[in-house]
Amino acid sequence: MAVGYRTSGRKLEVLLWIVAAVLMLTAAAYQRRTGPSYPVRGSFEVAGQTYDYQLTRSDYSSRDAPVTIPSPGERVSGAIHYKRFRTSDEFTVVPMLADDSVLTGALPAQPPAGKLEYFLTLRLPNGGIRVPDAGRGNVVMRFKDHVPIYYLLPHVLTMFLAMLIAVRAGLAAIFAPGQMRRLTLVTLAGLTVGGMVLGPIAQKYAFGAFWTGFPFGYDLTDNKVLIMWLLWVIACAIAWFRVREDVRLPRYAVVVAALATIAVYVIPHSARGSELDYEALDSGVPAEEAVRTGVN
């Protein structure tokens, strides 16, 4: 064992893994619920009865995107109002069809990274309802190509396992440094495979480009993964090559990398990501070349 490190007790190890798992799951849940592809949820009230809805914000470019909402009754009709995102287009109105207890409609498919903004209206016997209400703004739908499950699933699992081990490494740096070096190396390996190899492959399938972060673009997801990975490269190098000089420096480096990892995972996934520039598309630029990044 390296000088300056000691092994913690069994109970402490279990406790630290539990804490790491709770932090990882909390960050994952927060990221999912705040991300730009998470459905918009809400409710509206008609005749004293509340109806819950969720409106999708992500679908595949190979098909029209279905939109459904609960129907308050047979005498209610609905419509989808949509236009291309960040354009001066007029809203197109498409009637929704009644299907059992729901109203259904569809948004027209867009090229990968294309976005439509939309809202719904319900016409009632005694008035109308806007969904979501005007105070919440319009819903933005982004389209993407299909990512094969044999790339997507390992990417997602590896990234969250890497976060679990990263948090555990940070806790080890504070409470049980005897395990820190091994956990640091495993974290770096997981982020390399999940974030720097499988991540670009998944993005290539979804939006047509392997890497849209620095130095080629401003994609927040790519850039935050790059920063996180570089911090773990530094932490791993310090932990493995400077142990005998100063035991405090490796611990500080790992704690900083672990905190940065938590911060990165709290940032919504796909924020400031790939977006089709419709102005460029209308001017004749091919769709695959009209994608930009880093837009709010």
Side-chain angles (χ1 to χ4, degrees), residues 111-131:
K115 293 182 179 181
L116 298 176
E117 61 175 297
Y118 72 98
F119 64 92
L120 312 180
T121 54
L122 301 181
R123 185 176 297 278
L124 311 174
N126 59 347
I129 296 176
R130 185 188 193 279
V131 180

PDB file of all heavy atoms in Angstrom, residues 111-131:
ATOM      1  N   PRO A 111     -35.712  17.239 -40.062  1.00  0.00           N
ATOM      2  CA  PRO A 111     -34.375  16.639 -40.141  1.00  0.00           C
ATOM      3  C   PRO A 111     -33.755  16.553 -38.744  1.00  0.00           C
ATOM      4  O   PRO A 111     -34.187  17.241 -37.818  1.00  0.00           O
ATOM      5  CB  PRO A 111     -33.607  17.618 -41.038  1.00  0.00           C
ATOM      6  CG  PRO A 111     -34.654  18.374 -41.788  1.00  0.00           C
ATOM      7  CD  PRO A 111     -35.825  18.463 -40.862  1.00  0.00           C
ATOM      8  N   PRO A 112     -32.735  15.715 -38.573  1.00  0.00           N
ATOM      9  CA  PRO A 112     -32.067  15.624 -37.266  1.00  0.00           C
ATOM     10  C   PRO A 112     -31.634  16.996 -36.759  1.00  0.00           C
ATOM     11  O   PRO A 112     -31.086  17.800 -37.512  1.00  0.00           O
ATOM     12  CB  PRO A 112     -30.863  14.727 -37.557  1.00  0.00           C
ATOM     13  CG  PRO A 112     -31.292  13.888 -38.711  1.00  0.00           C
ATOM     14  CD  PRO A 112     -32.153  14.783 -39.550  1.00  0.00           C
ATOM     15  N   ALA A 113     -31.899  17.261 -35.476  1.00  0.00           N
ATOM     16  CA  ALA A 113     -31.617  18.532 -34.795  1.00  0.00           C
ATOM     17  C   ALA A 113     -32.630  19.617 -35.135  1.00  0.00           C
ATOM     18  O   ALA A 113     -32.534  20.732 -34.630  1.00  0.00           O
ATOM     19  CB  ALA A 113     -30.205  19.033 -35.058  1.00  0.00           C
ATOM     20  N   GLY A 114     -33.616  19.307 -35.990  1.00  0.00           N
ATOM     21  CA  GLY A 114     -34.681  20.260 -36.262  1.00  0.00           C
ATOM     22  C   GLY A 114     -35.601  20.384 -35.052  1.00  0.00           C
ATOM     23  O   GLY A 114     -35.804  19.421 -34.309  1.00  0.00           O
ATOM     24  N   LYS A 115     -36.153  21.578 -34.849  1.00  0.00           N
ATOM     25  CA  LYS A 115     -37.028  21.818 -33.711  1.00  0.00           C
ATOM     26  C   LYS A 115     -38.309  22.515 -34.162  1.00  0.00           C
ATOM     27  O   LYS A 115     -38.279  23.358 -35.056  1.00  0.00           O
ATOM     28  CB  LYS A 115     -36.328  22.701 -32.661  1.00  0.00           C
ATOM     29  CG  LYS A 115     -35.147  22.043 -31.971  1.00  0.00           C
ATOM     30  CD  LYS A 115     -34.538  22.971 -30.916  1.00  0.00           C
ATOM     31  CE  LYS A 115     -33.382  22.325 -30.191  1.00  0.00           C
ATOM     32  NZ  LYS A 115     -32.804  23.214 -29.150  1.00  0.00           N
ATOM     33  N   LEU A 116     -39.402  22.138 -33.518  1.00  0.00           N
ATOM     34  CA  LEU A 116     -40.677  22.813 -33.699  1.00  0.00           C
ATOM     35  C   LEU A 116     -41.156  23.302 -32.337  1.00  0.00           C
ATOM     36  O   LEU A 116     -40.965  22.618 -31.330  1.00  0.00           O
ATOM     37  CB  LEU A 116     -41.730  21.862 -34.280  1.00  0.00           C
ATOM     38  CG  LEU A 116     -41.467  21.266 -35.668  1.00  0.00           C
ATOM     39  CD1 LEU A 116     -42.562  20.274 -36.020  1.00  0.00           C
ATOM     40  CD2 LEU A 116     -41.373  22.362 -36.721  1.00  0.00           C
ATOM     41  N   GLU A 117     -41.733  24.489 -32.300  1.00  0.00           N
ATOM     42  CA  GLU A 117     -42.384  24.929 -31.071  1.00  0.00           C
ATOM     43  C   GLU A 117     -43.888  24.823 -31.279  1.00  0.00           C
ATOM     44  O   GLU A 117     -44.396  25.111 -32.370  1.00  0.00           O
ATOM     45  CB  GLU A 117     -41.977  26.342 -30.682  1.00  0.00           C
ATOM     46  CG  GLU A 117     -42.302  27.426 -31.675  1.00  0.00           C
ATOM     47  CD  GLU A 117     -41.974  28.811 -31.131  1.00  0.00           C
ATOM     48  OE1 GLU A 117     -42.587  29.211 -30.128  1.00  0.00           O
ATOM     49  OE2 GLU A 117     -41.086  29.467 -31.715  1.00  0.00           O
ATOM     50  N   TYR A 118     -44.593  24.412 -30.215  1.00  0.00           N
ATOM     51  CA  TYR A 118     -46.023  24.184 -30.400  1.00  0.00           C
ATOM     52  C   TYR A 118     -46.792  24.372 -29.091  1.00  0.00           C
ATOM     53  O   TYR A 118     -46.218  24.371 -27.994  1.00  0.00           O
ATOM     54  CB  TYR A 118     -46.276  22.787 -30.958  1.00  0.00           C
ATOM     55  CG  TYR A 118     -46.059  21.639 -29.993  1.00  0.00           C
ATOM     56  CD1 TYR A 118     -47.137  21.051 -29.315  1.00  0.00           C
ATOM     57  CD2 TYR A 118     -44.787  21.113 -29.761  1.00  0.00           C
ATOM     58  CE1 TYR A 118     -46.951  19.991 -28.439  1.00  0.00           C
ATOM     59  CE2 TYR A 118     -44.598  20.053 -28.898  1.00  0.00           C
ATOM     60  CZ  TYR A 118     -45.677  19.491 -28.240  1.00  0.00           C
ATOM     61  OH  TYR A 118     -45.487  18.443 -27.374  1.00  0.00           O
ATOM     62  N   PHE A 119     -48.093  24.552 -29.241  1.00  0.00           N
ATOM     63  CA  PHE A 119     -49.015  24.525 -28.111  1.00  0.00           C
ATOM     64  C   PHE A 119     -50.345  23.985 -28.618  1.00  0.00           C
ATOM     65  O   PHE A 119     -50.561  23.855 -29.836  1.00  0.00           O
ATOM     66  CB  PHE A 119     -49.180  25.922 -27.485  1.00  0.00           C
ATOM     67  CG  PHE A 119     -49.810  26.950 -28.388  1.00  0.00           C
ATOM     68  CD1 PHE A 119     -51.189  27.169 -28.390  1.00  0.00           C
ATOM     69  CD2 PHE A 119     -49.021  27.716 -29.252  1.00  0.00           C
ATOM     70  CE1 PHE A 119     -51.757  28.114 -29.228  1.00  0.00           C
ATOM     71  CE2 PHE A 119     -49.592  28.673 -30.083  1.00  0.00           C
ATOM     72  CZ  PHE A 119     -50.962  28.872 -30.081  1.00  0.00           C
ATOM     73  N   LEU A 120     -51.219  23.649 -27.713  1.00  0.00           N
ATOM     74  CA  LEU A 120     -52.515  23.084 -28.068  1.00  0.00           C
ATOM     75  C   LEU A 120     -53.631  24.014 -27.618  1.00  0.00           C
ATOM     76  O   LEU A 120     -53.469  24.785 -26.665  1.00  0.00           O
ATOM     77  CB  LEU A 120     -52.717  21.716 -27.398  1.00  0.00           C
ATOM     78  CG  LEU A 120     -51.584  20.705 -27.495  1.00  0.00           C
ATOM     79  CD1 LEU A 120     -51.968  19.414 -26.781  1.00  0.00           C
ATOM     80  CD2 LEU A 120     -51.226  20.430 -28.937  1.00  0.00           C
ATOM     81  N   THR A 121     -54.750  23.941 -28.308  1.00  0.00           N
ATOM     82  CA  THR A 121     -55.957  24.636 -27.857  1.00  0.00           C
ATOM     83  C   THR A 121     -57.107  23.634 -27.820  1.00  0.00           C
ATOM     84  O   THR A 121     -57.214  22.754 -28.688  1.00  0.00           O
ATOM     85  CB  THR A 121     -56.327  25.807 -28.786  1.00  0.00           C
ATOM     86  OG1 THR A 121     -56.426  25.335 -30.141  1.00  0.00           O
ATOM     87  CG2 THR A 121     -55.290  26.916 -28.693  1.00  0.00           C
ATOM     88  N   LEU A 122     -57.941  23.787 -26.808  1.00  0.00           N
ATOM     89  CA  LEU A 122     -59.147  22.969 -26.673  1.00  0.00           C
ATOM     90  C   LEU A 122     -60.344  23.900 -26.768  1.00  0.00           C
ATOM     91  O   LEU A 122     -60.401  24.921 -26.070  1.00  0.00           O
ATOM     92  CB  LEU A 122     -59.159  22.228 -25.334  1.00  0.00           C
ATOM     93  CG  LEU A 122     -57.989  21.280 -25.049  1.00  0.00           C
ATOM     94  CD1 LEU A 122     -58.171  20.614 -23.694  1.00  0.00           C
ATOM     95  CD2 LEU A 122     -57.849  20.242 -26.144  1.00  0.00           C
ATOM     96  N   ARG A 123     -61.275  23.541 -27.626  1.00  0.00           N
ATOM     97  CA  ARG A 123     -62.494  24.347 -27.771  1.00  0.00           C
ATOM     98  C   ARG A 123     -63.623  23.646 -27.018  1.00  0.00           C
ATOM     99  O   ARG A 123     -64.002  22.518 -27.354  1.00  0.00           O
ATOM    100  CB  ARG A 123     -62.853  24.525 -29.242  1.00  0.00           C
ATOM    101  CG  ARG A 123     -64.045  25.463 -29.467  1.00  0.00           C
ATOM    102  CD  ARG A 123     -64.284  25.676 -30.951  1.00  0.00           C
ATOM    103  NE  ARG A 123     -63.157  26.335 -31.572  1.00  0.00           N
ATOM    104  CZ  ARG A 123     -62.953  27.657 -31.555  1.00  0.00           C
ATOM    105  NH1 ARG A 123     -63.816  28.434 -30.918  1.00  0.00           N
ATOM    106  NH2 ARG A 123     -61.910  28.180 -32.159  1.00  0.00           N
ATOM    107  N   LEU A 124     -64.131  24.333 -26.012  1.00  0.00           N
ATOM    108  CA  LEU A 124     -65.196  23.808 -25.169  1.00  0.00           C
ATOM    109  C   LEU A 124     -66.523  24.480 -25.509  1.00  0.00           C
ATOM    110  O   LEU A 124     -66.542  25.542 -26.151  1.00  0.00           O
ATOM    111  CB  LEU A 124     -64.869  24.044 -23.691  1.00  0.00           C
ATOM    112  CG  LEU A 124     -63.458  23.638 -23.223  1.00  0.00           C
ATOM    113  CD1 LEU A 124     -63.232  24.066 -21.786  1.00  0.00           C
ATOM    114  CD2 LEU A 124     -63.264  22.149 -23.374  1.00  0.00           C
ATOM    115  N   PRO A 125     -67.641  23.888 -25.082  1.00  0.00           N
ATOM    116  CA  PRO A 125     -68.941  24.524 -25.358  1.00  0.00           C
ATOM    117  C   PRO A 125     -69.035  25.942 -24.813  1.00  0.00           C
ATOM    118  O   PRO A 125     -69.743  26.783 -25.375  1.00  0.00           O
ATOM    119  CB  PRO A 125     -69.934  23.582 -24.655  1.00  0.00           C
ATOM    120  CG  PRO A 125     -69.245  22.252 -24.645  1.00  0.00           C
ATOM    121  CD  PRO A 125     -67.798  22.568 -24.458  1.00  0.00           C
ATOM    122  N   ASN A 126     -68.315  26.203 -23.726  1.00  0.00           N
ATOM    123  CA  ASN A 126     -68.416  27.528 -23.101  1.00  0.00           C
ATOM    124  C   ASN A 126     -67.109  28.320 -23.152  1.00  0.00           C
ATOM    125  O   ASN A 126     -66.872  29.206 -22.332  1.00  0.00           O
ATOM    126  CB  ASN A 126     -68.858  27.384 -21.648  1.00  0.00           C
ATOM    127  CG  ASN A 126     -67.896  26.531 -20.832  1.00  0.00           C
ATOM    128  OD1 ASN A 126     -67.039  25.855 -21.403  1.00  0.00           O
ATOM    129  ND2 ASN A 126     -68.027  26.563 -19.519  1.00  0.00           N
ATOM    130  N   GLY A 127     -66.229  28.015 -24.073  1.00  0.00           N
ATOM    131  CA  GLY A 127     -64.976  28.761 -24.175  1.00  0.00           C
ATOM    132  C   GLY A 127     -63.839  27.909 -24.697  1.00  0.00           C
ATOM    133  O   GLY A 127     -64.051  26.892 -25.364  1.00  0.00           O
ATOM    134  N   GLY A 128     -62.603  28.317 -24.385  1.00  0.00           N
ATOM    135  CA  GLY A 128     -61.435  27.578 -24.857  1.00  0.00           C
ATOM    136  C   GLY A 128     -60.335  27.549 -23.825  1.00  0.00           C
ATOM    137  O   GLY A 128     -60.324  28.330 -22.865  1.00  0.00           O
ATOM    138  N   ILE A 129     -59.384  26.640 -24.025  1.00  0.00           N
ATOM    139  CA  ILE A 129     -58.244  26.461 -23.121  1.00  0.00           C
ATOM    140  C   ILE A 129     -56.980  26.354 -23.960  1.00  0.00           C
ATOM    141  O   ILE A 129     -56.968  25.692 -25.013  1.00  0.00           O
ATOM    142  CB  ILE A 129     -58.384  25.194 -22.263  1.00  0.00           C
ATOM    143  CG1 ILE A 129     -59.593  25.298 -21.340  1.00  0.00           C
ATOM    144  CG2 ILE A 129     -57.128  24.948 -21.432  1.00  0.00           C
ATOM    145  CD1 ILE A 129     -59.834  24.031 -20.540  1.00  0.00           C
ATOM    146  N   ARG A 130     -55.920  27.008 -23.502  1.00  0.00           N
ATOM    147  CA  ARG A 130     -54.609  26.869 -24.134  1.00  0.00           C
ATOM    148  C   ARG A 130     -53.770  25.937 -23.278  1.00  0.00           C
ATOM    149  O   ARG A 130     -53.724  26.073 -22.051  1.00  0.00           O
ATOM    150  CB  ARG A 130     -53.916  28.223 -24.244  1.00  0.00           C
ATOM    151  CG  ARG A 130     -52.593  28.195 -24.997  1.00  0.00           C
ATOM    152  CD  ARG A 130     -51.905  29.556 -24.858  1.00  0.00           C
ATOM    153  NE  ARG A 130     -50.802  29.743 -25.764  1.00  0.00           N
ATOM    154  CZ  ARG A 130     -49.562  29.273 -25.564  1.00  0.00           C
ATOM    155  NH1 ARG A 130     -49.288  28.561 -24.487  1.00  0.00           N
ATOM    156  NH2 ARG A 130     -48.609  29.520 -26.446  1.00  0.00           N
ATOM    157  N   VAL A 131     -53.095  24.967 -23.903  1.00  0.00           N
ATOM    158  CA  VAL A 131     -52.261  23.995 -23.185  1.00  0.00           C
ATOM    159  C   VAL A 131     -50.880  23.954 -23.843  1.00  0.00           C
ATOM    160  O   VAL A 131     -50.791  23.665 -25.040  1.00  0.00           O
ATOM    161  CB  VAL A 131     -52.888  22.589 -23.211  1.00  0.00           C
ATOM    162  CG1 VAL A 131     -52.014  21.597 -22.468  1.00  0.00           C
ATOM    163  CG2 VAL A 131     -54.284  22.618 -22.612  1.00  0.00           C
TER     164      VAL A 131
END
